[in-house]
Each structure stands twice: as structure tokens, then as C-alpha cells.
Amino acid sequence: MNTNTYKKDFSDIGIRMLISTAVITLLQIGAQTFALTLFPEWRDNFNILLAVTMVPLYVLGFPISFALMRNKDVPAIEKHHMSAGQLVVAFMISYALMITGNLIGLGLTAGISLLKGSPVQNTLLNIITGGSIWVTAIFTVLCAPVFEEILFRKLICDKVIKYGEGCAVMLSGLIFGLFHMNFNQFFYAFFLGSFFAFVYVKTGNLKYTILLHMAINFFGSVLGGILLQLDQTKPSTVIISAVFSLCVFGMAIAGIVTLIVKRRAFALKPGEIIIEKGQRFKTLILNVGMALYCLVFLGIMLWQAFLA
């Protein structure tokens, strides 16, 4: 086998993910168009609009993606147990990565907003504040972690692990980050996706990444959403928000310190196929499928930031 053969493997992943995303997008647009044609009054009900958009994603979109990305004859990842203490540490690291990535995304979109003279739409913030927090929780805390971890961690990492843990971690994080289609979410999704992939390749067990994903989404979407929907003029709300912010940044600092102290524990093992240094980026990204995937999603992100 040579570099061109390896490129075909990664290109295949990019093309399959492009097809999966196109199918998901068409299903969501079709479902929303059909529903609003029959029931135009639903336009004013954010909860129904959210359900009409998300139900096709989880009922049809992701299952089709699973079929397209299904693995054949992939090496089994050795399974290892995580203790409750290790999960807590992993959660703190996850939270630190989320906060760091979120700050980068907010800083970038703030700069773009200044350049174009109008605010960049924050899709996640609109979802959190637009309707019932409990309807949002069903999709962000219960559905998204399960379906996304199957697709972006198990199916992708299982395909790539033969090239080494580093390739699996990087590719899983990049594809996951770009899949969110906006700069507000890209950075923290990339950081989290990479860390979740690290946990998966080290444990071979998806339940740990699903639990971490659920916990992160619960703190960010549910608890954070509840605070955003409270009356911000009340002194009690100010106090609660201040305490929550202290806890958030306390966990983030603890996670960053843990990352620094335990940095040697994050060593990544090579795979049965070794891609030479200097050839890895070219092999993983500079191929037809992955280059198209990156360019399409980067284009969508730029359009969302500057033109939407």
C-alpha cells in the first residue's frame, strides 16, 4: 500500500459524510416545508418548529448516515474501564475545552460582527432561548449525544484507528466541528470532539463519551438556558448567575490545570499503518473527499457569518 491508497480511505470518509449531510439537510428542509404548508400557524411556535426540524434528523437522517458509514472488517479497539474519578476528571477537562473553544468562537464572531456592522447569528443561543428549555433538553441532552457519538466517534474512529490514535482523534474532531456549520460552535465542537475521540480510542467504550457529551450539553444547554430565560433584572437572578459563572470558570480552570499536569498521559499510540511525518496532513485532508467536505462546510460557515 502507498500514500495514494491511504488517501482513498480518507477521501471515502469525506464523500460519505458529505452525502450524509446532504441527505440530512434535505430531510429537514423537506419536513419543515411540508409541515408549514399544511400548518402555517406553526411558524410562530418555536417548540414545534424545533421538533419538525429535529425529528427527521434522528428518525431518518442519522440512521441513514450510520448505514452509509457502516464499518466492515475494522479492527476492534481494546476495551478499558474508566473509574468514577476518571470520569469526573474527564468531565472537567471537557468543560475546560468547551469554555475555551466557546470563548474563541465568540471572539471571532464578535470581530466578524464589527466588520460587517451587524451581529452574527448564534444558532445554539437561539435554540436555547427561543422555546421551552425542556423540549430543547430532549434533543440536546438525550438524542444528540447518543446519535452523534455513534457517528462521529465510533464509526469514524473505527474506520481510522488502523492509522493510529492521533489520526482518529484529529479526524473525528475536525469532522464533528465542521458539521456544526457555524463559527460560534466550531471551536468548542472541534476541541470536545477530539477529546471524546481520545476517550473512545483509549477505552473502546462509547458509553463514556455519551455520558460526557450528555453532561456537557446538560450544563451548557439546560442549566445555562434556564439562567438565560430568568428575569435578568432581579437581584436573585444576578446572584444565581454569578455563582453559576464562578462554578463554570472554576471547573474550566481545574480542567486546564489537569490537562497541563497530566499532559504526558495523553500520548497517542501509532496504528498498524504508519503515515510518515510530513505526509499526514496531505494524506488525511488533501484528498478529494475530505478537501470537498472541509471546503463545503467552511463555505457554509462563512456564508452564515457574513451573509445570513
Side-chain angles (χ1 to χ4, degrees):
M1 295 179 72
N2 54 39
T3 303
N4 288 333
T5 303
Y6 306 152
K7 281 186 175 183
K8 288 180 181 178
D9 280 350
F10 294 104
S11 181
D12 180 68
I13 293 172
I15 290 171
R16 288 173 186 267
M17 282 302 305
L18 269 176
I19 295 171
S20 297
T21 309
V23 170
I24 286 171
T25 303
L26 289 173
L27 283 170
Q28 290 183 307
I29 293 173
Q32 192 175 90
T33 302
F34 180 75
L36 293 180
T37 300
L38 292 179
F39 307 100
E41 65 275 14
W42 285 2
R43 292 180 185 277
D44 300 321
N45 190 316
F46 186 87
N47 293 320
I48 293 178
L49 278 179
L50 183 62
V52 167
T53 303
M54 292 298 180
V55 169
L57 172 67
Y58 296 115
V59 173
L60 289 174
F62 269 110
I64 291 172
S65 297
F66 298 161
L68 285 169
M69 296 295 293
R70 186 176 58 211
N71 299 305
K72 295 180 180 179
D73 302 321
V74 295
I77 298 176
E78 187 177 350
K79 293 188 179 297
H80 295 280
H81 175 70
M82 283 185 77
S83 67
Q86 288 174 320
L87 271 173
V88 170
V89 170
F91 172 74
M92 289 193 300
I93 292 172
S94 299
Y95 212 90
L97 293 172
M98 183 190 73
I99 293 297
T100 302
N102 193 41
L103 290 174
I104 294 171
L106 289 174
L108 177 60
T109 52
I112 294 172
S113 296
L114 287 174
L115 283 175
K116 72 173 191 173
S118 61
V120 175
Q121 290 295 315
N122 190 327
T123 305
L124 181 61
L125 184 62
N126 293 340
I127 291 174
I128 291 173
T129 58
S132 167
I133 201 66
W134 305 113
V135 173
T136 302
I138 292 172
F139 297 113
T140 61
V141 179
L142 297 180
C143 296
V146 175
F147 286 86
E148 289 177 359
E149 290 307 305
I150 292 172
L151 178 60
F152 296 102
R153 247 57 67 190
K154 180 170 177 54
L155 294 178
I156 289 176
C157 288
D158 285 358
K159 277 181 175 290
V160 182
I161 193 66
K162 64 184 178 182
Y163 293 102
E165 293 176 349
C167 289
V169 167
M170 194 281 284
L171 201 69
S172 173
L174 179 63
I175 291 175
F176 184 59
L178 289 171
F179 185 80
H180 285 73
M181 301 188 201
N182 63 79
F183 287 115
N184 282 301
Q185 293 176 273
F186 169 76
F187 294 97
Y188 76 72
F190 170 67
F191 293 160
L192 283 175
S194 299
F195 182 68
F196 292 162
F198 170 81
V199 172
Y200 176 65
V201 300
K202 290 298 185 182
T203 65
N205 203 321
L206 206 63
K207 69 181 180 183
Y208 298 128
T209 66
I210 290 174
L211 285 172
L212 289 170
H213 201 151
M214 284 181 168
I216 288 294
N217 282 9
F218 176 77
F219 270 80
S221 298
V222 177
L223 292 185
I226 289 172
L227 286 177
L228 287 172
Q229 291 187 4
L230 293 176
D231 184 352
Q232 301 299 314
T233 62
K234 290 185 177 180
S236 58
T237 301
V238 175
I239 294 171
I240 293 170
S241 297
V243 172
F244 182 75
S245 297
L246 286 173
C247 292
V248 164
F249 284 100
M251 285 192 293
I253 292 169
I256 291 171
V257 170
T258 302
L259 269 174
I260 295 171
V261 171
K262 294 185 176 292
R263 62 189 180 278
R264 292 182 180 178
F266 296 97
L268 296 165
K269 296 179 181 178
E272 60 185 63
I273 299 174
I274 305 296
I275 301 174
E276 295 180 6
K277 287 184 178 180
Q279 296 296 316
R280 292 171 186 169
F281 180 78
K282 293 179 181 178
T283 304
L284 269 68
I285 306 300
L286 298 184
N287 55 71
V288 175
M290 280 305 304
L292 275 175
Y293 182 87
C294 292
L295 288 172
V296 167
F297 279 85
L298 182 59
I300 292 171
M301 289 163 62
L302 288 170
W303 174 84
Q304 189 271 341
F306 285 96
L307 301 175

